[in-house]
Amino acid sequence: MYKVIFADDEAVFRTYFKKVIDWQAHGFDLCGEAKNGLEALELIERDTPDIAFIDINMPYMNGMDLAAKIKEKHPSVFVLLVTGHSEFEYARQALKIGVDDYILKPFDEEELIVALAKIKGEMEKRRIERDKSLKERRVWKESFLNLLISNEHADDNETIREQLETFQMGAGRIFQVASVEIDNLHEQWPDSGEIRLRKYIIANLLNDLIQIEGTGFPFNGPENRVVSLLQYSDEEAAERFTPDGYAKLCALISKHFGFGVTVGVGTAGQGISSIRHSYKESVIALRNKISMSRSDVLVYRDMTSKAANIGFYPSEINENLLIHLRLHEEEKIKSALEEIRQYIRDRQLSGEYIHMIMAGLVSLCLTYIYEIGKQVDDFLPPSFSPFEAITNKSSLDEAFEWIADLYLSVAGHSKSMKRSKSGNLLTSAREYIDAHYMDSQLKVEDVAKHFYIQPRYLLKIFKEGLGMSVSDYLFETRMQKAKELLSSGRNLRLTNVAEMVGYGDPAHFSKSFKRHTGLSPSEYEATRQRG
């Protein structure tokens, strides 16, 4: 249980802070509160909490000064500033003096849970790094849990039962497994540190959100999945399980952390042998997500059996598609692919059979690339696996959108002149963005399509040439143009400036501008006029 203190000079907010969540249920002990900086410092000296929530504006000693003193005397205390929007720039500056994070108020229960998940992930990481024996025990437990889901074990296996007792997992014998998969992980190409951070976030949110009559054990499983092993107190508790907590997990991650996850849930069963069985069901559910209506949580028991729905896929569909590709008939290519998608949807084919059809479509396109004397690397980044990309798509529509982009890129490319080198392409793409940044609908995909290349390849060129993504370049361009307009002395209305730099919503523009500069558009304009 982590010890928490909080300091704020507003009595109303202190009352709200104590009641906004059930602190004990989330693993925190509220051990003290203060109404000014001096009281807070005395509280920290006396109780040495794990976490200190500190308001920036307080009498006697403000939050910035208090944070600096805490970090000087008690560097292990996790300091989180509570700040209003008008103090946002101060909070950013505070990160430079050692403050660990900040949260904007007013905040609600959801925002606080997300902030606490990040805190617990970072503190757990620090704790394990400090304590070698704890780290070894964690690795040992994770290896054991992976053994449970990876191999068949009899219920009377004495060694396994002893290990369960060692890890305080010997009380109940009703188990259920859910597998959490990070969406499109192979396409985003995050480094290993970023993947570990994402998995920390998932594991900590699982601890907070999955409330059952029993115990949950989240751990790192195979293929970069986070596995959630649930152990129920009895059969009735298992029957009362609902996937609502997993649905909330998916929503929170998508909303606050910039990536998506999908959860596959196996069925509950009796005994040690049920663990492996439930895990396999959770993976089957994930593999069939492409055949389901878009859903973040796929429950195996709710899935309609589609294994027999194979049907007869007409070979002439692919033959006609290849003809359209050779003749560069883009509209007919789109129509042919739509016909295939409709064929799959009408017959409710299984995920396995859908993947087989789409692998054939990819193979057909790759064959044509070699037919015209080109290489796959001309259209896709080196080492990029198109078949893996298809297998990991989250929905049928998303998969066919990817295939259509590939076909249209190849069709457009084959009728154009020699492909420009990456440097020339980067220059051309920048010029295109510079000329179209005022279009609020402009996306990375639009730029890529204009040059008949895949978005991944365009991202790679920007990253190598400029050290930033295409979206970052577009954002920087819009912000620079906005600063020029605000500095022009023309006294333009906020709505006009927003529209002129590609924002349909003035409020969104204002928020983005302040995030970029630390000043609102009106504040920025005023400082330029004074200068």
Side-chain angles (χ1 to χ4, degrees):
M1 185 102 26
Y2 293 109
K3 293 165 61 179
V4 177
I5 70 104
F6 63 98
D8 195 292
D9 61 332
E10 297 180 21
V12 173
F13 182 77
R14 293 199 303 274
T15 301
Y16 172 77
F17 190 83
K18 286 185 285 188
K19 296 180 179 179
V20 62
I21 63 169
D22 184 342
W23 290 91
Q24 292 280 335
H26 286 85
F28 297 93
D29 175 26
L30 281 181
C31 62
E33 61 179 284
K35 59 180 177 291
N36 61 61
L38 290 178
E39 280 189 13
L41 190 58
E42 292 174 3
L43 198 58
I44 289 167
E45 294 285 357
R46 188 187 72 207
D47 295 335
T48 316
D50 298 297
I51 305 163
F53 284 82
I54 298 170
D55 186 38
I56 282 188
N57 284 322
M58 292 187 296
Y60 306 123
M61 182 186 295
N62 65 43
M64 296 282 280
D65 293 339
L66 175 59
K69 286 186 178 294
I70 294 172
K71 282 301 178 182
E72 179 184 351
K73 294 184 177 182
H74 305 282
S76 64
V77 175
F78 196 103
V79 177
L80 189 145
L81 286 181
V82 181
T83 173
H85 288 275
S86 61
E87 304 153 343
F88 177 68
E89 185 58 29
Y90 291 112
R92 291 176 58 185
Q93 293 172 11
L95 297 178
K96 298 177 183 179
I97 65 171
V99 169
D100 297 282
D101 207 346
Y102 59 86
I103 184 170
L104 297 177
K105 66 177 182 180
F107 53 80
D108 56 21
E109 176 186 1
E110 178 181 303
E111 291 170 314
L112 183 57
I113 288 174
V114 169
L116 291 172
K118 291 166 65 177
I119 292 172
K120 285 201 287 189
E122 183 59 35
M123 294 187 72
E124 181 72 5
K125 181 180 176 183
R126 294 178 187 177
R127 191 162 64 98
I128 291 171
E129 288 172 350
R130 287 196 306 266
D131 191 334
K132 184 178 179 181
S133 62
L134 183 64
K135 184 175 183 179
E136 290 173 350
R137 181 176 175 83
R138 184 187 179 102
V139 171
W140 177 24
K141 183 176 182 179
E142 193 163 278
S143 298
F144 170 64
L145 293 172
N146 272 279
L147 184 69
L148 288 180
I149 64 172
S150 302
N151 299 284
E152 304 287 351
H153 298 287
D155 291 334
D156 59 356
N157 187 315
E158 189 63 31
T159 302
I160 296 296
R161 290 171 64 182
E162 289 177 359
Q163 290 280 48
L164 287 171
E165 296 289 345
T166 300
F167 294 119
Q168 287 80 50
M169 299 172 62
R173 283 289 182 264
I174 309 295
F175 297 99
Q176 185 173 20
V177 178
S179 296
V180 185
E181 194 167 72
I182 300 173
D183 293 341
N184 303 320
L185 186 63
H186 68 289
E187 292 182 6
Q188 298 171 23
W189 293 91
D191 58 32
S192 57
E194 175 67 17
I195 294 174
R196 283 196 299 272
L197 176 60
R198 293 184 182 189
K199 291 162 76 174
Y200 263 122
I201 291 169
I202 293 168
N204 281 300
L205 284 174
L206 283 170
N207 276 325
D208 288 336
L209 299 175
I210 309 305
Q211 305 296 322
I212 64 168
E213 297 171 52
T215 312
F217 303 92
F219 62 95
N220 292 323
E223 300 180 53
N224 279 318
R225 298 188 187 103
V226 176
V227 178
S228 176
L229 173 60
L230 307 179
Q231 184 179 26
Y232 297 99
S233 55
D234 51 48
E235 290 185 18
E236 289 75 18
E239 291 173 359
R240 286 190 286 272
F241 164 82
T242 69
D244 296 349
Y246 292 110
K248 192 170 183 180
L249 169 80
C250 297
L252 284 180
I253 288 177
S254 176
K255 181 177 179 180
H256 295 282
F257 295 99
F259 65 97
V261 296
T262 303
V263 183
V265 183
T267 52
Q270 174 80 38
I272 298 169
S273 60
S274 69
I275 297 175
R276 166 69 174 165
H277 184 71
S278 185
Y279 172 70
K280 288 196 293 186
E281 290 181 343
S282 73
V283 174
I284 290 171
L286 288 173
R287 288 177 179 170
N288 277 274
K289 62 185 175 182
I290 197 168
S291 66
M292 307 291 286
S293 298
R294 179 58 192 157
S295 175
D296 293 321
V297 182
L298 305 172
V299 181
Y300 181 84
R301 68 166 180 256
D302 295 339
M303 293 173 59
T304 303
S305 176
K306 299 178 181 180
N309 293 344
I310 294 179
F312 177 75
Y313 181 70
S315 60
E316 61 267 20
I317 294 180
N318 281 11
E319 292 170 4
N320 291 334
L321 183 59
L322 182 57
I323 292 172
H324 300 323
L325 187 58
R326 286 170 175 160
L327 295 176
H328 316 129
E329 297 172 333
E330 296 183 357
E331 291 304 317
K332 291 184 179 180
I333 289 172
K334 293 178 186 177
S335 297
L337 290 174
E338 179 56 33
E339 180 184 355
I340 297 170
R341 175 163 53 177
Q342 197 60 46
Y343 177 92
I344 293 171
R345 185 180 289 117
D346 290 346
R347 287 158 182 78
Q348 296 187 319
L349 302 181
S350 68
E352 182 179 356
Y353 195 63
I354 292 171
H355 288 140
M356 186 183 78
I357 291 174
M358 291 191 299
L361 293 174
V362 173
S363 181
L364 184 72
C365 191
L366 298 185
T367 300
Y368 175 70
I369 290 174
Y370 291 117
E371 181 181 299
I372 61 176
K374 297 290 184 180
Q375 298 294 318
V376 175
D377 288 355
D378 292 339
F379 301 91
L380 298 169
S383 303
F384 183 77
S385 170
F387 297 103
E388 184 181 357
I390 283 298
T391 303
N392 286 280
K393 292 303 178 186
S394 301
S395 67
L396 187 66
D397 290 344
E398 186 181 327
F400 267 86
E401 183 178 348
W402 187 90
I403 288 178
D405 284 346
L406 177 63
Y407 267 79
L408 295 175
S409 294
V410 173
H413 198 91
S414 63
K415 67 179 180 181
S416 66
M417 300 301 292
K418 183 179 179 181
R419 183 173 68 96
S420 301
K421 294 187 177 181
S422 60
N424 292 333
L425 181 55
L426 176 60
T427 300
S428 298
R430 290 176 64 186
E431 290 174 351
Y432 183 83
I433 292 173
D434 291 345
H436 295 84
Y437 67 87
M438 66 290 296
D439 179 2
S440 62
Q441 302 301 313
L442 184 64
K443 301 188 295 294
V444 175
E445 292 78 10
D446 300 324
V447 182
K449 286 179 181 179
H450 181 78
F451 294 99
Y452 301 112
I453 59 172
Q454 286 292 311
R456 277 295 314 167
Y457 185 55
L458 184 64
L459 288 169
K460 178 175 180 289
I461 290 173
F462 267 75
K463 198 70 176 175
E464 290 179 350
L466 298 179
M468 65 171 64
S469 68
V470 185
S471 297
D472 286 342
Y473 180 80
L474 175 58
F475 178 76
E476 292 288 342
T477 300
R478 284 172 168 164
M479 291 299 104
Q480 185 58 42
K481 298 297 182 183
K483 287 190 282 188
E484 290 174 7
L485 290 169
L486 292 169
S487 303
S488 66
R490 295 163 59 185
N491 295 320
L492 296 167
R493 295 176 58 192
L494 178 64
T495 303
N496 294 335
V497 175
E499 290 178 352
M500 292 168 75
V501 296
Y503 283 85
D505 180 5
H508 183 208
F509 163 69
S510 185
K511 184 177 180 181
S512 300
F513 188 89
K514 188 164 186 177
R515 175 162 56 89
H516 179 69
T517 64
L519 299 171
S520 68
S522 58
E523 290 170 342
Y524 184 88
E525 186 175 28
T527 59
R528 292 304 177 271
Q529 289 176 355
R530 286 198 300 267

